[in-house]
Each structure stands twice: as structure tokens, then as C-alpha cells.
């Protein structure tokens, strides 16, 4: 009888332990709500203005409570970090990131067992955060579970605005079936990359409606479609058009019904104009557009979300390199036109299949200084990108507070930098040494000042 009682006591204790583990994200959230951090003696770049303002910043829980030029009395139990006159700025953001695909090679993704894919993705999420990127917009891939794990505190990583699978026509940018495979619409099956949620092949209005609804059902913040050809896909020339106007409007209809928007992969003027006429709000890439088309993006109150690509940024086959010949250096041209015509611009990287190449994220951001001032670059990568993210409206998972700014009430995502990126943008490349403190959601993920 004694042994039985001991056994029952052990089981009760074990159940209690499991309950505590299950409640760990809740306990973490409550602890964060009660904690506070004070950055004293910093120069604040708020993500909106050009000038640095000397002062002090108090974080309480997950948000910024105060920003004052005069000293702030730390509340009881507050952690005080003396910034030593370093620059405190909002966390960086990437408007065109692939959480899964940047972390894995194509061979990794091709495996039937997705365990390695997700393990690599978790590791890259932490590296992304430690490069100073506290928010990303995922523009194709199975990022829903990773986002949930990050948001609940199970693993460290940036905030994620997921798109889910990229919607593509048969033979389009998201069709990775073999040439001899029967298309799904004619009775064939899905490719492996469709099965794991990177792409969704859809043809005709009913299928586009269904595929778009499937993404928002899973938790997409925005919907992404491919209107034109791509570099990594085998069958589609860059100048090809891959959806009809009615198909584009079908995706936009779903997005609007759910209170969000559609972004479109497309490079050429013809494809961009078709996408805009269908109601697309974010043009992804656009490198082959002419000036009039860039101006038209602004006239439609849409965004140009582009990437400063240079040769060698990504591992490409000879056939893929041939597709990019006309794009070399084109980003400077289209950004110059966007600046001239006051078009809303977002920064992204679109890095793929290079687990060791994530550091390119910081390097690519610094390239924008060839067109914009350092302060303008920082605003694009903070408040600017976050204004685009906020277009997801009711589907914005972080809409409870502002992102990309240092203002009272905003989310507490910030970097303490040993250097002044408003004057020397190159500081952002040396993130391992220069980013001395990294905070996301009020939690300190790196502190090199200890």
C-alpha cells in the first residue's frame, strides 16, 4: 500500500512538472510583462527622423514605456544598461525573406523527411535575430510552425509575417514538378515542394480562390502570387506572364475578404502593370521595369519591394545565371526612379539555398547607400518596411503595437550599436562586434557589455 501511495505521489508530481512545462510560454510572457530594462545615456535613432537625440529609454514588459532626454528613475528590479553614448535604434527588418529556403540547400528541401529542413530553419532563425533582424516578411515557405514557436518563446528568432505557399500557374515560377509529370489539374499529383508547403500550383479562378484561401486559413499575413517568370524555376522565361487578370483578381478578392493584400513576384513592366491592374499592392523584385512602370507603382499607391542583387550573391547554375544577365545593377536604376517619383520602397534580400550565406543580409542592406543617405537606408529598413507589413491589417499578428520605431507604446525591438550607422552605414556589416545589445519583444538576446 505504501508503495502504491508513493507511486501515485510520483505521478502527481510528474503531471505537475509536465503542466509547468506546458505553461512555460505563459510564464515567460508574465515574467516579461513584469520585467523592465533601462537604457541610460544613449543616442536614439527613432526610425522616423534623421537626427539622433541623446536620452534614456525605459522598457517595461514587451513595450517601450518612456523615452526621455532627462534621466529616468529605474523602477524596482529594473535592469540598467549604460549605453555609453552609443546609438540605440529599432531592430532591422527584411521585407523579402525565406525562413525555410535560406536555411536549406535544395538537396535538404528535396528530402522526404522534413526534420532536417526544420532543424536548419530553427538554427537560422536565431542567426537572423543575432544579425539584428528582429522582424521579417516570409515570402514563400512553410513558416507557420516556426513563427508559432518563436512567438511563444520556444525558440529564438525574428517576428514573422508569413505568406505560406507561393501561388503559381502550371509551368510557372512555383512549378517544380518534372517535365514528364502529369499536371495536377490533369490528374497528376503534387510535387514534393508543394507537399511541404513552399509552392501551390493553381490554374483558373476556382483553383486560385481555393489556394489563396488555404494560405489565409493556415495563418498567412499576406498572399503571394507569381505573375511572371523567375530565376530558380526551370520552365519559365523571365518575361513570361503566368496568371490571367481574372486569376490575379481572384487572389486579390480573397485577400480583401480577409482584410489583407497580395504581393506578386514579377520582374518586367508588362507583368507589373498586369499585377497592378489586378489589385496587387506589393511588387516583389521589378528589376526589369522601365521608369514609367516604376512611376505607375507609386500612382497605384503600391510598394516596390526590391533587392540589391549583385553577381555572386546566390549559388546559381549556368542556366540561372543566364536569366539574370539583364538584371545586373538594375536595382540601382529602379531605386533611382522610385526615389525620383516618391514611390514607397521596401528592402528585402530574397536569399535562397545558402545556409552559410545569411550574413549577406547585412551586406545587401548597406548597398542601398549607393542611392539613399545612410539615415534614409535605416528608415527604409525599420519604419518603412513596417509600414508595408502593417498593410496586412486584420491579419497583422503584431498589430497591438507599432513596429520599426522607438516611440512610447511601440514593441521593444532594438539594437545598441557601437558606432553611428546614420553616418557610417558600413557599421551594419560588422554586426558580431558592433551590435553590442540586441532586444526583441523586451527580451535581451545579446548583451556584449556584461
Amino acid at each position: 500500500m505504501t508503495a502504491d501511495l508513493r507511486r501515485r505521489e510520483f505521478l502527481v508530481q510528474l503531471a505537475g512538472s509536465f503542466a509547468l512545462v506546458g505553461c512555460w510560454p505563459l510564464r515567460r510572457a508574465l515574467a516579461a510583462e513584469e520585467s523592465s530594462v533601462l537604457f541610460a545615456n544613449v543616442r536614439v535613432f527613432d526610425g522616423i527622423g534623421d537626427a539622433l537625440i541623446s536620452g534614456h529609454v525605459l522598457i517595461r514588459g514587451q513595450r517601450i514605456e518612456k523615452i526621455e532626454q532627462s534621466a529616468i528613475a529605474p523602477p524596482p528590479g529594473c535592469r540598467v544598461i549604460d549605453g555609453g553614448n552609443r546609438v540605440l535604434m529599432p531592430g532591422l527588418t527584411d521585407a523579402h525573406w525565406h525562413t525555410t529556403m535560406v536555411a536549406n540547400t535544395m538537396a535538404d528541401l528535396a528530402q522526404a523527411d522534413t526534420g532536417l529542413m526544420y532543424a536548419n530553419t530553427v538554427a537560422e532563425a536565431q542567426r537572423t535575430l543575432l544579425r539584428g533582424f528582429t522582424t521579417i516578411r516570409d515570402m514563400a515557405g512553410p513558416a507557420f510552425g516556426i513563427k508559432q514557436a518563436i512567438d511563444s518563446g520556444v525558440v529564438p528568432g525574428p517576428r514573422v509575417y508569413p505568406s505560406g505557399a507561393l501561388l503559381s500557374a502550371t509551368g510557372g515560377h512555383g512549378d517544380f514538378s518534372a517535365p514528364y509529370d502529369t499536371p495536377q489539374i490533369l490528374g497528376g499529383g503534387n510535387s514534393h515542394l508543394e507537399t511541404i508547403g513552399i509552392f501551390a500550383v493553381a490554374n483558373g479562378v476556382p483553383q486560385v480562390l481555393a489556394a489563396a484561401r488555404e494560405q489565409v486559413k493556415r495563418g498567412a499575413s499576406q498572399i503571394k502570387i507569381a505573375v511572371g517568370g523567375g530565376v530558380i524555376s526551370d520552365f519559365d522565361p523571365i518575361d513570361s506572364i503566368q496568371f490571367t487578370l481574372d486569376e490575379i483578381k481572384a487572389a486579390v478578392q480573397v485577400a480583401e475578404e480577409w482584410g489583407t493584400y497580395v504581393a506578386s513576384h514579377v520582374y518586367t513592366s508588362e507583368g507589373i502593370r498586369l499585377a497592378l491592374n489586378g489589385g496587387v499592392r506589393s511588387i516583389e523584385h521589378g528589376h526589369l521595369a522601365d521608369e514609367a512602370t516604376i512611376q505607375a507603382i507609386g500612382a497605384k499607391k503600391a510598394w516596390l519591394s526590391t533587392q540589391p542583387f549583385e553577381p555572386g550573391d546566390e549559388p546559381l547554375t549556368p542556366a540561372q545565371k543566364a536569366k539574370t544577365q539583364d538584371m545586373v545593377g538594375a536595382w540601382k536604376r529602379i531605386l533611382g526612379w522610385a526615389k525620383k517619383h516618391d514611390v514607397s520602397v521596401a528592402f528585402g534580400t530574397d536569399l535562397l539555398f545558402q545556409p552559410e550565406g545569411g550574413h549577406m543580409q547585412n551586406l545587401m542592406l548597406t548597398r542601398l547607400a549607393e542611392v539613399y543617405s545612410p539615415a534614409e537606408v535605416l528608415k527604409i529598413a525599420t519604419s518603412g518596411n513596417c509600414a508595408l507589413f502593417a498593410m496586412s491589417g486584420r491579419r497583422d499578428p503584431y498589430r497591438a503595437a507599432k513596429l520599426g520605431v522607438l516611440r512610447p507604446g511601440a514593441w521593444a525591438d532594438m539594437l545598441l550599436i557601437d558606432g553611428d550607422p546614420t553616418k557610417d552605414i558600413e557599421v551594419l556589416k560588422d554586426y558580431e562586434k558592433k551590435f553590442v545589445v540586441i532586444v526583441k519583444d523586451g527580451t535581451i538576446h545579446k548583451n556584449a557589455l556584461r
Side-chain angles (χ1 to χ4, degrees), residues 377-394:
V377 173
L378 295 179
K379 284 188 280 188
I380 289 170
T382 55
S383 62
N385 275 1
C386 290
L388 168 59
F389 303 162
M391 287 204 321
S392 54
R394 299 195 301 273

Side-chain angles (χ1 to χ4, degrees), residues 390-446:
M391 287 204 321
S392 54
R394 299 195 301 273
R395 304 284 77 77
D396 182 345
Y398 311 110
R399 64 186 181 277
K402 286 280 190 182
L403 279 173
V405 297
L406 296 190
R407 291 287 174 88
W411 291 117
D413 299 353
M414 58 192 71
L415 313 174
L416 185 65
I417 299 180
D418 194 3
D420 185 356
T422 67
K423 298 289 192 296
D424 179 16
I425 201 70
E426 298 294 305
V427 168
L428 301 183
K429 293 180 185 177
D430 195 10
Y431 57 88
E432 290 182 321
K433 293 180 180 178
K434 300 297 186 181
F435 293 8
V436 292
V437 180
I438 298 174
V439 177
K440 186 212 134 190
D441 207 25
T443 298
I444 298 173
H445 289 270
K446 174 184 177 180

Side-chain angles (χ1 to χ4, degrees), residues 104-120 192-193 195-196 198:
N104 291 275
T105 65
M106 183 59 88
D108 294 334
L109 297 175
Q111 292 192 101
D113 183 351
T114 57
L116 177 62
M117 176 185 77
Y118 286 114
N120 288 338
H192 178 64
L193 296 188
T195 300
I196 63 177
I198 295 178

